[in-house]
Amino acid sequence: QQPVQSPQAVILREGEDAVINCSSSKALYSVHWYRQKHGEAPVFLMILLKGGEQKGHEKISASFNEKKQQSSLYLTASQLSYSGTYFCGTETVDRDDKIIFGKGTRLHILP
Amino acid sequence: GAGVSQSPSNKVTEKGKDVELRCDPISGHTALYWYRQSLGQGLEFLIYFQGNSAPDKSGLPSDRFSAERTGGSVSTLTIQRTQQEDSAVYLCASSAILWGTQETQYFGPGTRLLVL
């Protein structure tokens, strides 16, 4: 089942923080995060495994709340380069080797 | 090579024809992934390879799609009897370890397929 991302879109000024959520109705094993700029291939950000871990990538970090079946992506002190569409992909505990992606969250950073 | 390469970069074909898409992963990367992205849509995961093996092919959209990998390197995605709904950007990625949480997946530039 497709995970739900929220918000669908967000506009920030450079330096502001943002949180993007990815929620599933099924028990999750892993959550994958990617960023894609218009006309370009996606860029891999990180994979989180169940266990409630938190990871960081530059000023971008993420958490995985196993109880809520939700992952949140945190963008701190956003930079212009953070603009793009963020996709989460989820794999359920069934470990069926299928990654289902959300519809994406469009992030636009203004100078 | 320095990165993941895909060929052709663009392919226009007629409905009903077969097409073959190629992916050259980063040397030494054991894991290879195929994704699809229709115009203006999100990502769709198709299949992964661990070495030459693809344990689960159920993510492929239909039995017209097949994929193989040889020598733990090059992979080809073949679409038989193409349909207009097959039009999309087909993306390939590779990583040193399958779904490695400490390993970056590197994407190729994609093959833009248009079925007329």
Side-chain angles (χ1 to χ4, degrees):
Chain A
Q1 188 156 358
Q2 186 176 42
V4 176
Q5 289 187 234
S6 62
Q8 290 184 319
V10 59
I11 299 175
L12 297 176
R13 291 218 172 266
E14 194 173 11
E16 292 182 337
D17 300 341
V19 180
I20 299 171
N21 296 307
C22 176
S23 298
S24 174
S25 59
K26 292 194 170 186
L28 297 177
Y29 173 75
S30 67
V31 180
H32 306 214
W33 286 99
Y34 301 80
R35 175 175 64 215
Q36 185 175 33
K37 294 183 181 292
H38 184 69
E40 298 181 8
V43 170
F44 171 82
L45 295 178
M46 63 191 80
I47 295 176
L48 301 97
L49 301 180
K50 72 172 188 173
E53 66 173 331
Q54 184 153 353
K55 299 184 70 174
H57 176 82
E58 298 176 341
K59 291 183 179 179
I60 300 174
S61 62
S63 63
F64 183 178
N65 188 320
E66 195 176 342
K67 287 184 179 179
K68 292 185 178 181
Q69 307 308 329
Q70 176 178 298
S71 178
S72 296
L73 187 72
Y74 306 95
L75 297 98
T76 306
S78 57
Q79 305 169 11
L80 294 176
S81 61
Y82 288 179
S83 291
T85 300
Y86 289 77
F87 292 100
C88 72
T90 57
E91 181 184 12
T92 67
V93 293
D94 296 335
R95 300 301 309 280
D96 57 3
D97 290 332
K98 291 183 179 58
I99 309 299
I100 309 295
F101 287 93
K103 294 185 177 181
T105 293
R106 295 186 306 281
L107 175 65
H108 187 60
I109 309 294
L110 299 173
Chain B
V4 179
S5 60
Q6 293 185 245
S7 61
S9 54
N10 292 281
K11 177 71 177 179
V12 180
T13 190
E14 293 180 348
K15 178 181 173 181
K17 296 284 181 68
D18 298 351
V19 296
E20 194 171 274
L21 312 179
R22 176 185 169 112
C23 173
D24 279 275
I26 292 173
S27 178
H29 278 191
T30 59
L32 185 147
Y33 317 84
W34 283 99
Y35 301 84
R36 179 170 77 169
Q37 190 168 33
S38 302
L39 184 63
Q41 299 299 311
L43 288 168
E44 180 183 3
F45 171 73
L46 300 180
I47 192 171
Y48 76 83
F49 286 88
Q50 171 74 335
N52 292 332
S53 173
D56 184 0
K57 300 182 179 180
S58 63
L60 295 174
S62 77
D63 58 9
R64 297 183 293 103
F65 287 70
S66 62
E68 65 174 14
R69 189 180 185 194
T70 55
S73 182
V74 173
S75 176
T76 54
L77 180 69
T78 302
I79 310 173
Q80 295 179 310
R81 305 181 302 280
T82 52
Q83 303 294 314
Q84 289 181 331
E85 62 262 27
D86 299 335
S87 296
V89 176
Y90 289 82
L91 294 155
C92 174
S94 72
S95 62
I97 297 174
L98 180 67
W99 301 131
T101 59
Q102 304 298 327
E103 301 291 332
T104 297
Q105 289 178 42
Y106 296 89
F107 280 82
T111 292
R112 285 164 179 73
L113 174 66
L114 177 61
V115 182
L116 300 177

